[in-house]
Amino acid sequence: MLRKPPVSHIHTRMPPLFGDDQWDDLLDFVEQGKVIPIIGEAAVTFSDEDRPLYPWLATELAGRLSVPPEMLPDFPTVSSVAQSHLARGGERNQIYSRLHRILKDPALTPGPTLRRLCEVEGFRLALTTTFDPLLERAMDAAGNGTGGHTLVGAFFPGASQKDLPARLVELQQKTLYHLLGRVSVAAGEFVALEEDLLDFLSELPRHLGTDVMRNLSADLRSHALLAIGMNFSDWIVRLLLRIARQDSLSRVSIHSWLAEGPLEKVSKSMVLFFGGVSKSIQVVECDPPAFVAELARRWRERRPAPPIPNGAGLGGSSPGAGLGAPIGLVFLSYAREDEAAARRIKAGLEAAGCTVYFDRERLGAGMNFHYQLEDQVSRHCALFISVVSEFTESAVGDNYFRRERFWASERAKSFSDIDREEFYLPFLIHERKPGGLQHEPRIFSGCQWNVCPGGVAPDGLAERVSAIQRKFRSRTPGS
């Protein structure tokens, strides 16, 4: 698909030409909501190891389509794998359905690069030239704690709705827009082949600037653009920016940045072109993940998180921030409507000597709360208290207490029955069980119920929890 060969993810330093003043210029624009990021495939990573997604995806697709290695180039791309599949007489639709099947796996989690990008609250609208769902998942995880989802839109030639619902300043939630389509089982709805890319690049300018894409068109013309890791050939990058700006690049005065690299892979013709044709577009020769890491670091320095109250430190940062996570705490999972009862439970446990993970005190501004919560439940907490109420049984939609209980159930799959009963403690805060319990994980159906009306625990329960916590810490080094 006219892409450059993949390069290793070595996080290099920013070149001297992009110094403190240039960073401050960019961050000033971001802080005022005047920058729209455009994320390319070189900035899309997965897993905690920050692995580049698209080289892995090409290899995975080759296996799913049974394309022999000898038919592939040294650095296969999704497009080269797809072309080899077609050359062998394979069905075109299989390419799209296999990609959809690979990427729908919820275990495919966004890497630190995408998570860091989502720490920059100044980006309320993001564009992407990729079709994968990982940026969407990262944006969902970095939401406001209500379980609400990112608003997602996508362009493809046959789409019935091609525009944003409103201008950027009027958007009510964080929004992601796929310029070259979003993964689907159907051909023609996202770019997987060079032929697809030609179709999309021919059709996109026919709609931008018209009433069909009025809102997105206006935002692209009036905002600075920050393109990170596009990883297209020189000419495709120029064409995409020309389409986005809807005008000759020599006439565009609004400043934009193009972060591409690493340094030895950046086309010199690209640098010369933008340096000579448009002084408003600055090429930053860098490793895209390194650029994002530096961007997030400088953003945090400008907008530091407030101190965590009540001495709740214990290293309680998100895994994405690279700091140590607290180990051996009692994790308290509850619905927001039950917060008063949860606080009574917390007070009773602390009076018995327990150290409790209570999200209201551990999560501060600037933290990636989704990954801190998941890390606590999936790896570090000593035991998990599920506050069960009429609300947790009747709530609809995606709620964080359900995610937390799912993570707990996944962790407990390898536990013995005894360990499982010690790890997961359901605290019922109403006098009677809600009829027909539906939302407590089935794996914990044998656990002992603890009735705590209004959050008041019976005698001896807090002491039992404290003993379990001490037992966990005695066998866990460094806790």
Side-chain angles (χ1 to χ4, degrees), residues 211-464:
D211 285 346
V212 175
M213 301 180 73
R214 179 197 302 266
N215 295 323
L216 181 59
S217 297
D219 283 334
L220 286 172
R221 285 195 303 266
S222 60
H223 286 75
L225 302 178
L226 172 61
I228 306 175
M230 302 275 277
N231 207 38
F232 287 113
S233 68
D234 183 357
W235 273 99
I236 296 297
V237 172
R238 299 185 201 184
L239 180 57
L240 272 169
L241 289 178
R242 172 62 177 80
I243 291 171
R245 285 307 193 190
Q246 305 150 68
D247 197 358
S248 170
L249 294 178
S250 64
R251 289 196 293 266
V252 176
S253 59
I254 300 175
H255 202 83
S256 293
W257 297 264
L258 180 61
E260 287 287 327
L263 278 61
E264 66 274 11
K265 297 295 182 181
V266 175
S267 166
K268 297 306 174 188
S269 63
M270 183 189 297
V271 177
L272 291 172
F273 173 82
F274 288 116
V277 171
S278 177
K279 299 296 184 182
S280 65
I281 301 176
Q282 182 172 358
V283 179
V284 186
E285 300 173 70
C286 63
D287 178 50
F291 181 88
V292 172
E294 183 68 5
L295 175 68
R297 184 187 72 79
R298 289 176 179 261
W299 178 263
R300 287 194 301 269
E301 285 183 354
R302 280 198 172 207
R303 304 168 71 92
I308 302 174
N310 299 333
L314 295 181
S317 68
S318 70
L323 300 178
I327 299 173
L329 276 60
V330 177
F331 190 96
L332 197 55
S333 174
Y334 62 97
R336 285 285 174 254
E337 289 75 3
D338 299 323
E339 182 175 344
R343 286 188 178 277
R344 293 188 194 100
I345 293 171
K346 171 179 174 291
L349 293 173
E350 290 176 339
C354 296
T355 309
V356 180
Y357 188 102
F358 191 72
D359 59 356
R360 290 291 200 189
E361 296 176 354
R362 298 243 170 209
L363 299 176
M367 289 185 176
N368 192 322
F369 71 87
H370 174 95
Y371 288 97
Q372 186 177 4
L373 293 173
E374 183 178 12
D375 198 50
Q376 269 299 308
V377 176
S378 300
R379 298 179 180 87
H380 297 306
C381 68
L383 66 159
F384 184 99
I385 291 178
S386 173
V387 178
V388 182
S389 69
E390 291 177 351
F391 181 81
T392 60
E393 286 299 303
S394 62
V396 296
D398 185 10
N399 295 277
Y400 254 86
F401 64 82
R402 288 186 182 144
R403 294 191 189 191
E404 292 162 356
R405 290 164 204 199
F406 169 76
W407 296 329
S409 68
E410 289 294 296
R411 179 177 175 184
K413 283 181 178 178
S414 61
F415 291 4
S416 67
D417 289 343
I418 294 175
D419 287 342
R420 196 173 293 152
E421 288 183 14
E422 288 189 340
F423 172 69
Y424 194 93
L425 303 178
F427 277 32
L428 183 65
I429 62 174
H430 293 274
E431 293 186 0
R432 291 181 297 176
K433 290 184 185 179
L437 291 174
Q438 298 293 320
H439 297 301
E440 288 302 286
R442 190 169 300 175
I443 192 173
F444 299 122
S445 59
C447 293
Q448 178 182 341
W449 284 89
N450 303 280
V451 181
C452 308
V456 179
D459 292 343
L461 179 56
E463 287 72 18
R464 177 188 167 214

Side-chain angles (χ1 to χ4, degrees), residues 469-477 479:
Q469 186 176 37
R470 290 196 301 272
K471 177 181 174 183
F472 176 92
R473 286 179 162 174
S474 69
R475 63 190 185 197
T476 306
S479 65

Side-chain angles (χ1 to χ4, degrees), residues 172-185:
Q172 298 300 305
Q173 62 194 103
K174 290 211 172 181
T175 303
L176 173 65
Y177 191 92
H178 293 259
L179 285 169
L180 301 179
R182 183 185 185 193
V183 69
S184 165
V185 295

